Amino acid sequence: GYLVAITAFGSWFARFQKTTRDYFLTGRSVPWWAICFTIVATETSTLSFIGVPAGAYAGNMTFLQIALGYITGRILVSLVLLPAYFRGDLFTSYELLQRRFGSAVKTLSAVIFLMTRSLADGIRLFSTALVIAIVTQVPVTWVVIVLGAAMIVYTMRGGVSAVIWTDVVQMFVYIAGAGAVAIALLGRIDGGWAEVVRVGTDTGRFVFLDASLDFTRAYTLWAGLLGGVALTLSTHGTDQYLVQRLLSARTQKAASTGLILSGVIVFAQFILFLLIGVMLFTYYQQFPLQQTLERNDQILPVFVVNELSNGLAGFIVAAIVAAALSPSLNAMASTTVSDFYLPYINPSADQATQLRVSKQATVAWGVVQLAVAIG
């Protein structure tokens, strides 16, 4: 039901797509708060939804330190890169590289983006299908096909408007799903929140700062800051997948406000996910697991399948889908048209031709991601 609703909602935006500027940049009409929410939804995947709680379930909350780097990196992107992007009429981040370094650098960067994004989102689609298959007992391949088809249809029809506004809806859906899991856990733990605090404190699961210089530790304050900044400069500052969202903002100030605020929301979101991990640990101390986990990130799906009622479990599955469906297909199509088709194949193409090729490219890259996920 959720898939049908979100596909219909995204397809509704097809009526507003008259030019490639509409299709790829929404005519630069998106307010700051929608920019904020779409960025949060874009960088949150099923891996985040099930993997971050698993980190606190098996260890502690030091993962939170990387979110401090995310906020710092966003400030740097807003100060250094956004002014350059909004100085001209750009469709992709790689067009800026052409101005500074020439067409060869731009083309190489665009090729790398298309290749790595195809692989990354194919894996993201597969990981989502894997979780849903565990819960629903539907074969993984069929789940991949259904999810991928829905993603292709509404992205191809509605363009980046569909992507951004469905992202806004989906952020609230998956956060509501995470909240539902937290409430369900608290209702099942003997002693409630007080017991969670006691167990989390006694076992060190509430530890979130580690200022040591031990390079063997995965998460320290310094690694979090440096790694978070480096990752954010890459993903939010240069990757067309996220830069396209920023370029869709009404103004540079709206893009900057949305970008920085998204870091604060991601920080709060990670706190919620990590608390769920501590709650899961507390729950299974009282009611030991009756099965052996192959990986710690199975713990949340196992709880959903074994402990929740069908209706609530279905809502959590919808939340997992929401965390996954933030397609990169429109960003890949914009790169294909702006960085390859127009410069090298048909520089004189009119708007109708450009729009047709854009939709064809969207479908083509969707098929590529489906092939990666199934393969």
Short mmCIF file of all heavy atoms in Angstrom, two decimals, residues 295-353:
data_model
loop_
_atom_site.label_atom_id
_atom_site.label_comp_id
_atom_site.label_asym_id
_atom_site.label_seq_id
_atom_site.Cartn_x
_atom_site.Cartn_y
_atom_site.Cartn_z
N ARG A 295 24.88 -11.84 11.98
CA ARG A 295 25.43 -10.48 12.05
C ARG A 295 24.59 -9.69 13.03
O ARG A 295 23.39 -9.90 13.17
CB ARG A 295 25.39 -9.79 10.68
CG ARG A 295 26.13 -10.52 9.58
CD ARG A 295 26.07 -9.73 8.27
NE ARG A 295 24.71 -9.34 7.94
CZ ARG A 295 23.84 -10.12 7.31
NH1 ARG A 295 24.21 -11.35 6.95
NH2 ARG A 295 22.64 -9.69 7.03
N ASN A 296 25.22 -8.73 13.68
CA ASN A 296 24.49 -7.91 14.66
C ASN A 296 23.38 -7.09 14.03
O ASN A 296 22.38 -6.79 14.68
CB ASN A 296 25.47 -6.98 15.41
CG ASN A 296 26.37 -7.74 16.36
OD1 ASN A 296 25.95 -8.70 17.00
ND2 ASN A 296 27.62 -7.31 16.46
N ASP A 297 23.55 -6.71 12.73
CA ASP A 297 22.52 -5.87 12.13
C ASP A 297 21.24 -6.64 11.79
O ASP A 297 20.29 -6.07 11.24
CB ASP A 297 23.05 -5.14 10.88
CG ASP A 297 23.57 -6.08 9.81
OD1 ASP A 297 23.34 -7.29 9.90
OD2 ASP A 297 24.22 -5.58 8.87
N GLN A 298 21.19 -7.91 12.17
CA GLN A 298 19.94 -8.67 12.03
C GLN A 298 19.01 -8.45 13.22
O GLN A 298 17.85 -8.83 13.17
CB GLN A 298 20.24 -10.17 11.92
CG GLN A 298 20.90 -10.59 10.62
CD GLN A 298 21.20 -12.08 10.61
OE1 GLN A 298 21.86 -12.60 11.51
NE2 GLN A 298 20.71 -12.77 9.61
N ILE A 299 19.50 -7.80 14.27
CA ILE A 299 18.76 -7.77 15.52
C ILE A 299 17.43 -7.02 15.39
O ILE A 299 16.40 -7.46 15.93
CB ILE A 299 19.62 -7.17 16.66
CG1 ILE A 299 18.92 -7.34 18.01
CG2 ILE A 299 19.97 -5.72 16.40
CD1 ILE A 299 18.72 -8.76 18.43
N LEU A 300 17.41 -5.90 14.69
CA LEU A 300 16.15 -5.15 14.54
C LEU A 300 15.13 -5.91 13.70
O LEU A 300 13.96 -6.04 14.11
CB LEU A 300 16.42 -3.76 13.98
CG LEU A 300 15.19 -2.85 13.81
CD1 LEU A 300 14.44 -2.69 15.12
CD2 LEU A 300 15.58 -1.49 13.25
N PRO A 301 15.51 -6.43 12.51
CA PRO A 301 14.53 -7.24 11.75
C PRO A 301 14.02 -8.45 12.54
O PRO A 301 12.84 -8.79 12.45
CB PRO A 301 15.32 -7.68 10.51
CG PRO A 301 16.36 -6.64 10.34
CD PRO A 301 16.74 -6.22 11.73
N VAL A 302 14.90 -9.09 13.31
CA VAL A 302 14.47 -10.24 14.11
C VAL A 302 13.42 -9.81 15.14
O VAL A 302 12.41 -10.49 15.35
CB VAL A 302 15.69 -10.89 14.81
CG1 VAL A 302 15.24 -11.84 15.91
CG2 VAL A 302 16.53 -11.65 13.79
N PHE A 303 13.64 -8.66 15.79
CA PHE A 303 12.67 -8.17 16.77
C PHE A 303 11.34 -7.86 16.09
O PHE A 303 10.27 -8.21 16.61
CB PHE A 303 13.22 -6.91 17.45
CG PHE A 303 12.23 -6.25 18.37
CD1 PHE A 303 11.97 -6.76 19.62
CD2 PHE A 303 11.54 -5.11 17.95
CE1 PHE A 303 11.04 -6.16 20.47
CE2 PHE A 303 10.61 -4.50 18.79
CZ PHE A 303 10.36 -5.02 20.04
N VAL A 304 11.39 -7.23 14.92
CA VAL A 304 10.16 -6.88 14.21
C VAL A 304 9.37 -8.14 13.85
O VAL A 304 8.15 -8.21 14.04
CB VAL A 304 10.48 -6.06 12.94
CG1 VAL A 304 9.23 -5.89 12.07
CG2 VAL A 304 11.04 -4.70 13.32
N VAL A 305 10.07 -9.14 13.34
CA VAL A 305 9.40 -10.37 12.89
C VAL A 305 8.82 -11.16 14.06
O VAL A 305 7.68 -11.62 14.01
CB VAL A 305 10.39 -11.26 12.10
CG1 VAL A 305 9.78 -12.63 11.83
CG2 VAL A 305 10.77 -10.59 10.80
N ASN A 306 9.58 -11.28 15.13
CA ASN A 306 9.20 -12.19 16.21
C ASN A 306 8.33 -11.56 17.29
O ASN A 306 7.57 -12.27 17.96
CB ASN A 306 10.45 -12.78 16.87
CG ASN A 306 11.24 -13.65 15.92
OD1 ASN A 306 10.69 -14.20 14.97
ND2 ASN A 306 12.54 -13.77 16.16
N GLU A 307 8.42 -10.25 17.47
CA GLU A 307 7.79 -9.64 18.64
C GLU A 307 6.63 -8.69 18.34
O GLU A 307 5.83 -8.42 19.22
CB GLU A 307 8.85 -8.88 19.46
CG GLU A 307 10.07 -9.71 19.85
CD GLU A 307 9.71 -10.90 20.72
OE1 GLU A 307 8.67 -10.85 21.41
OE2 GLU A 307 10.46 -11.90 20.68
N LEU A 308 6.55 -8.18 17.13
CA LEU A 308 5.52 -7.18 16.84
C LEU A 308 4.31 -7.80 16.15
O LEU A 308 4.43 -8.80 15.44
CB LEU A 308 6.09 -6.07 15.96
CG LEU A 308 7.26 -5.27 16.54
CD1 LEU A 308 7.63 -4.13 15.60
CD2 LEU A 308 6.95 -4.74 17.93
N SER A 309 3.16 -7.18 16.34
CA SER A 309 1.94 -7.62 15.67
C SER A 309 2.06 -7.34 14.17
O SER A 309 2.87 -6.53 13.73
CB SER A 309 0.73 -6.88 16.22
OG SER A 309 0.84 -5.48 15.98
N ASN A 310 1.21 -8.02 13.38
CA ASN A 310 1.32 -7.90 11.93
C ASN A 310 1.17 -6.46 11.45
O ASN A 310 1.91 -5.99 10.59
CB ASN A 310 0.26 -8.76 11.25
CG ASN A 310 0.60 -10.24 11.37
OD1 ASN A 310 1.73 -10.59 11.61
ND2 ASN A 310 -0.40 -11.09 11.21
N GLY A 311 0.20 -5.73 12.01
CA GLY A 311 -0.03 -4.36 11.56
C GLY A 311 1.16 -3.46 11.85
O GLY A 311 1.61 -2.70 10.99
N LEU A 312 1.70 -3.55 13.07
CA LEU A 312 2.86 -2.73 13.43
C LEU A 312 4.09 -3.16 12.65
O LEU A 312 4.88 -2.32 12.19
CB LEU A 312 3.12 -2.82 14.94
CG LEU A 312 4.23 -1.92 15.50
CD1 LEU A 312 3.98 -0.47 15.12
CD2 LEU A 312 4.33 -2.07 17.01
N ALA A 313 4.25 -4.46 12.47
CA ALA A 313 5.39 -4.94 11.68
C ALA A 313 5.31 -4.42 10.25
O ALA A 313 6.32 -4.03 9.65
CB ALA A 313 5.41 -6.47 11.68
N GLY A 314 4.09 -4.39 9.69
CA GLY A 314 3.91 -3.85 8.34
C GLY A 314 4.29 -2.39 8.25
O GLY A 314 4.89 -1.94 7.27
N PHE A 315 3.95 -1.63 9.31
CA PHE A 315 4.31 -0.21 9.32
C PHE A 315 5.82 -0.04 9.38
O PHE A 315 6.39 0.84 8.72
CB PHE A 315 3.65 0.48 10.52
CG PHE A 315 3.99 1.93 10.63
CD1 PHE A 315 3.50 2.85 9.70
CD2 PHE A 315 4.82 2.40 11.64
CE1 PHE A 315 3.81 4.19 9.79
CE2 PHE A 315 5.13 3.75 11.74
CZ PHE A 315 4.63 4.64 10.81
N ILE A 316 6.51 -0.88 10.16
CA ILE A 316 7.96 -0.81 10.24
C ILE A 316 8.58 -1.16 8.89
O ILE A 316 9.57 -0.54 8.46
CB ILE A 316 8.51 -1.75 11.34
CG1 ILE A 316 7.87 -1.43 12.69
CG2 ILE A 316 10.02 -1.63 11.42
CD1 ILE A 316 7.99 0.00 13.13
N VAL A 317 8.02 -2.13 8.18
CA VAL A 317 8.51 -2.48 6.85
C VAL A 317 8.36 -1.28 5.91
O VAL A 317 9.26 -0.96 5.13
CB VAL A 317 7.77 -3.70 6.28
CG1 VAL A 317 8.15 -3.92 4.81
CG2 VAL A 317 8.12 -4.94 7.09
N ALA A 318 7.20 -0.58 6.00
CA ALA A 318 7.01 0.63 5.19
C ALA A 318 8.06 1.68 5.54
O ALA A 318 8.56 2.39 4.66
CB ALA A 318 5.60 1.19 5.42
N ALA A 319 8.40 1.77 6.83
CA ALA A 319 9.43 2.73 7.25
C ALA A 319 10.79 2.36 6.67
O ALA A 319 11.57 3.23 6.27
CB ALA A 319 9.50 2.78 8.77
N ILE A 320 11.09 1.06 6.63
CA ILE A 320 12.36 0.60 6.05
C ILE A 320 12.40 0.91 4.56
O ILE A 320 13.42 1.34 4.01
CB ILE A 320 12.54 -0.91 6.30
CG1 ILE A 320 12.76 -1.17 7.80
CG2 ILE A 320 13.71 -1.47 5.50
CD1 ILE A 320 12.75 -2.64 8.18
N VAL A 321 11.26 0.72 3.88
CA VAL A 321 11.17 1.08 2.46
C VAL A 321 11.39 2.58 2.29
O VAL A 321 12.11 3.02 1.39
CB VAL A 321 9.79 0.67 1.89
CG1 VAL A 321 9.61 1.24 0.49
CG2 VAL A 321 9.67 -0.85 1.86
N ALA A 322 10.78 3.38 3.18
CA ALA A 322 10.92 4.83 3.09
C ALA A 322 12.36 5.27 3.24
O ALA A 322 12.82 6.21 2.59
CB ALA A 322 10.05 5.50 4.16
N ALA A 323 13.10 4.58 4.12
CA ALA A 323 14.51 4.91 4.31
C ALA A 323 15.34 4.58 3.08
O ALA A 323 16.42 5.13 2.89
CB ALA A 323 15.06 4.17 5.53
N ALA A 324 14.82 3.69 2.24
CA ALA A 324 15.59 3.23 1.08
C ALA A 324 15.27 4.01 -0.19
O ALA A 324 16.13 4.22 -1.04
CB ALA A 324 15.33 1.75 0.84
N LEU A 325 14.02 4.44 -0.33
CA LEU A 325 13.58 5.02 -1.60
C LEU A 325 13.90 6.51 -1.68
O LEU A 325 13.03 7.36 -1.53
CB LEU A 325 12.08 4.79 -1.79
CG LEU A 325 11.66 3.36 -2.13
CD1 LEU A 325 10.16 3.31 -2.40
CD2 LEU A 325 12.42 2.82 -3.33
N SER A 326 15.15 6.82 -1.93
CA SER A 326 15.55 8.18 -2.25
C SER A 326 16.43 8.09 -3.49
O SER A 326 17.65 8.08 -3.41
CB SER A 326 16.32 8.82 -1.08
OG SER A 326 16.62 10.15 -1.36
N PRO A 327 15.80 7.98 -4.65
CA PRO A 327 16.52 7.57 -5.86
C PRO A 327 17.55 8.60 -6.34
O PRO A 327 17.37 9.80 -6.21
CB PRO A 327 15.41 7.41 -6.90
CG PRO A 327 14.12 7.51 -6.17
CD PRO A 327 14.38 8.22 -4.90
N SER A 328 18.60 8.07 -6.94
CA SER A 328 19.62 8.91 -7.57
C SER A 328 19.40 9.01 -9.06
O SER A 328 20.20 9.64 -9.77
CB SER A 328 21.01 8.32 -7.30
OG SER A 328 21.07 7.01 -7.84
N LEU A 329 18.33 8.40 -9.58
CA LEU A 329 18.15 8.26 -11.02
C LEU A 329 18.05 9.61 -11.73
O LEU A 329 18.59 9.79 -12.82
CB LEU A 329 16.89 7.42 -11.32
CG LEU A 329 16.85 6.03 -10.70
CD1 LEU A 329 15.58 5.32 -11.12
CD2 LEU A 329 18.08 5.23 -11.12
N ASN A 330 17.35 10.57 -11.12
CA ASN A 330 17.22 11.87 -11.76
C ASN A 330 18.56 12.60 -11.80
O ASN A 330 18.88 13.27 -12.79
CB ASN A 330 16.17 12.71 -11.02
CG ASN A 330 15.85 14.01 -11.74
OD1 ASN A 330 16.44 15.04 -11.46
ND2 ASN A 330 14.91 13.95 -12.68
N ALA A 331 19.34 12.47 -10.73
CA ALA A 331 20.67 13.09 -10.71
C ALA A 331 21.57 12.46 -11.77
O ALA A 331 22.35 13.16 -12.43
CB ALA A 331 21.30 12.93 -9.33
N MET A 332 21.45 11.15 -11.95
CA MET A 332 22.25 10.48 -12.98
C MET A 332 21.79 10.89 -14.37
O MET A 332 22.62 11.06 -15.28
CB MET A 332 22.15 8.97 -12.79
CG MET A 332 22.71 8.49 -11.46
SD MET A 332 22.50 6.72 -11.17
CE MET A 332 23.73 6.06 -12.31
N ALA A 333 20.48 11.07 -14.54
CA ALA A 333 19.97 11.51 -15.85
C ALA A 333 20.44 12.93 -16.15
O ALA A 333 20.79 13.25 -17.30
CB ALA A 333 18.45 11.44 -15.86
N SER A 334 20.45 13.80 -15.13
CA SER A 334 20.90 15.18 -15.37
C SER A 334 22.36 15.21 -15.78
O SER A 334 22.77 15.99 -16.64
CB SER A 334 20.67 16.04 -14.12
OG SER A 334 21.55 15.69 -13.08
N THR A 335 23.18 14.35 -15.16
CA THR A 335 24.59 14.26 -15.53
C THR A 335 24.73 13.73 -16.95
O THR A 335 25.55 14.22 -17.74
CB THR A 335 25.34 13.34 -14.54
OG1 THR A 335 25.25 13.90 -13.24
CG2 THR A 335 26.80 13.18 -14.93
N THR A 336 23.93 12.73 -17.30
CA THR A 336 23.98 12.15 -18.64
C THR A 336 23.65 13.19 -19.71
O THR A 336 24.36 13.31 -20.72
CB THR A 336 22.98 10.98 -18.74
OG1 THR A 336 23.29 10.00 -17.76
CG2 THR A 336 23.04 10.34 -20.12
N VAL A 337 22.59 13.96 -19.46
CA VAL A 337 22.15 14.94 -20.47
C VAL A 337 23.08 16.17 -20.49
O VAL A 337 23.53 16.59 -21.57
CB VAL A 337 20.70 15.37 -20.18
CG1 VAL A 337 20.29 16.54 -21.09
CG2 VAL A 337 19.75 14.20 -20.38
N SER A 338 23.37 16.72 -19.31
CA SER A 338 24.13 17.98 -19.26
C SER A 338 25.61 17.80 -19.54
O SER A 338 26.24 18.67 -20.15
CB SER A 338 23.95 18.64 -17.88
OG SER A 338 22.60 18.95 -17.64
N ASP A 339 26.18 16.67 -19.12
CA ASP A 339 27.62 16.48 -19.23
C ASP A 339 28.04 15.60 -20.41
O ASP A 339 29.24 15.55 -20.74
CB ASP A 339 28.17 15.89 -17.93
CG ASP A 339 27.97 16.83 -16.75
OD1 ASP A 339 28.11 18.04 -16.94
OD2 ASP A 339 27.66 16.36 -15.64
N PHE A 340 27.08 14.92 -21.05
CA PHE A 340 27.44 14.05 -22.18
C PHE A 340 26.59 14.30 -23.42
O PHE A 340 27.13 14.57 -24.49
CB PHE A 340 27.33 12.57 -21.76
CG PHE A 340 28.32 12.18 -20.71
CD1 PHE A 340 27.95 12.11 -19.37
CD2 PHE A 340 29.64 11.88 -21.03
CE1 PHE A 340 28.85 11.77 -18.38
CE2 PHE A 340 30.57 11.55 -20.06
CZ PHE A 340 30.17 11.50 -18.73
N TYR A 341 25.28 14.21 -23.27
CA TYR A 341 24.40 14.31 -24.45
C TYR A 341 24.50 15.67 -25.13
O TYR A 341 24.72 15.76 -26.34
CB TYR A 341 22.96 14.02 -24.04
CG TYR A 341 21.97 14.11 -25.19
CD1 TYR A 341 21.90 13.10 -26.15
CD2 TYR A 341 21.13 15.21 -25.34
CE1 TYR A 341 21.01 13.18 -27.22
CE2 TYR A 341 20.25 15.31 -26.40
CZ TYR A 341 20.19 14.29 -27.33
OH TYR A 341 19.31 14.37 -28.39
N LEU A 342 24.35 16.75 -24.36
CA LEU A 342 24.38 18.08 -24.95
C LEU A 342 25.76 18.49 -25.46
O LEU A 342 25.89 19.02 -26.56
CB LEU A 342 23.83 19.12 -23.97
CG LEU A 342 22.32 19.06 -23.72
CD1 LEU A 342 21.90 20.06 -22.65
CD2 LEU A 342 21.55 19.31 -25.02
N PRO A 343 26.83 18.24 -24.69
CA PRO A 343 28.15 18.67 -25.20
C PRO A 343 28.66 17.84 -26.38
O PRO A 343 29.32 18.38 -27.28
CB PRO A 343 29.08 18.49 -23.99
CG PRO A 343 28.17 18.39 -22.81
CD PRO A 343 26.92 17.76 -23.31
N TYR A 344 28.37 16.52 -26.40
CA TYR A 344 29.04 15.64 -27.35
C TYR A 344 28.13 15.04 -28.42
O TYR A 344 28.61 14.63 -29.48
CB TYR A 344 29.73 14.50 -26.60
CG TYR A 344 30.73 14.96 -25.58
CD1 TYR A 344 30.58 14.65 -24.23
CD2 TYR A 344 31.84 15.72 -25.96
CE1 TYR A 344 31.50 15.07 -23.28
CE2 TYR A 344 32.76 16.16 -25.02
CZ TYR A 344 32.59 15.84 -23.68
OH TYR A 344 33.50 16.26 -22.75
N ILE A 345 26.82 14.95 -28.15
CA ILE A 345 25.94 14.22 -29.08
C ILE A 345 25.01 15.16 -29.84
O ILE A 345 24.94 15.10 -31.07
CB ILE A 345 25.13 13.15 -28.33
CG1 ILE A 345 26.08 12.12 -27.68
CG2 ILE A 345 24.15 12.44 -29.27
CD1 ILE A 345 25.38 11.11 -26.81
N ASN A 346 24.31 16.02 -29.12
CA ASN A 346 23.32 16.87 -29.78
C ASN A 346 23.26 18.24 -29.11
O ASN A 346 22.32 18.55 -28.36
CB ASN A 346 21.94 16.20 -29.75
CG ASN A 346 20.92 16.92 -30.62
OD1 ASN A 346 21.22 17.93 -31.26
ND2 ASN A 346 19.70 16.40 -30.65
N PRO A 347 24.24 19.10 -29.36
CA PRO A 347 24.30 20.41 -28.70
C PRO A 347 23.11 21.31 -29.01
O PRO A 347 22.78 22.20 -28.23
CB PRO A 347 25.60 21.04 -29.24
CG PRO A 347 26.40 19.88 -29.74
CD PRO A 347 25.41 18.88 -30.23
N SER A 348 22.44 21.08 -30.14
CA SER A 348 21.33 21.95 -30.55
C SER A 348 19.96 21.37 -30.20
O SER A 348 18.94 21.85 -30.71
CB SER A 348 21.41 22.20 -32.06
OG SER A 348 21.31 20.97 -32.77
N ALA A 349 19.91 20.36 -29.35
CA ALA A 349 18.64 19.72 -29.02
C ALA A 349 17.67 20.71 -28.38
O ALA A 349 18.06 21.49 -27.50
CB ALA A 349 18.89 18.55 -28.06
N ASP A 350 16.40 20.69 -28.83
CA ASP A 350 15.40 21.57 -28.24
C ASP A 350 14.91 20.99 -26.91
O ASP A 350 15.27 19.87 -26.53
CB ASP A 350 14.24 21.81 -29.20
CG ASP A 350 13.55 20.52 -29.62
OD1 ASP A 350 13.66 19.50 -28.89
OD2 ASP A 350 12.90 20.51 -30.68
N GLN A 351 14.07 21.75 -26.21
CA GLN A 351 13.62 21.33 -24.88
C GLN A 351 12.83 20.02 -24.91
O GLN A 351 12.97 19.19 -24.03
CB GLN A 351 12.78 22.44 -24.24
CG GLN A 351 13.60 23.54 -23.60
CD GLN A 351 14.44 23.02 -22.45
OE1 GLN A 351 13.99 22.25 -21.61
NE2 GLN A 351 15.70 23.43 -22.42
N ALA A 352 12.01 19.85 -25.94
CA ALA A 352 11.21 18.62 -26.03
C ALA A 352 12.13 17.40 -26.16
O ALA A 352 11.91 16.36 -25.52
CB ALA A 352 10.26 18.70 -27.22
N THR A 353 13.17 17.54 -26.98
CA THR A 353 14.13 16.44 -27.16
C THR A 353 14.90 16.18 -25.88
O THR A 353 15.08 15.03 -25.46
CB THR A 353 15.10 16.77 -28.30
OG1 THR A 353 14.37 16.99 -29.50
CG2 THR A 353 16.09 15.64 -28.51
#
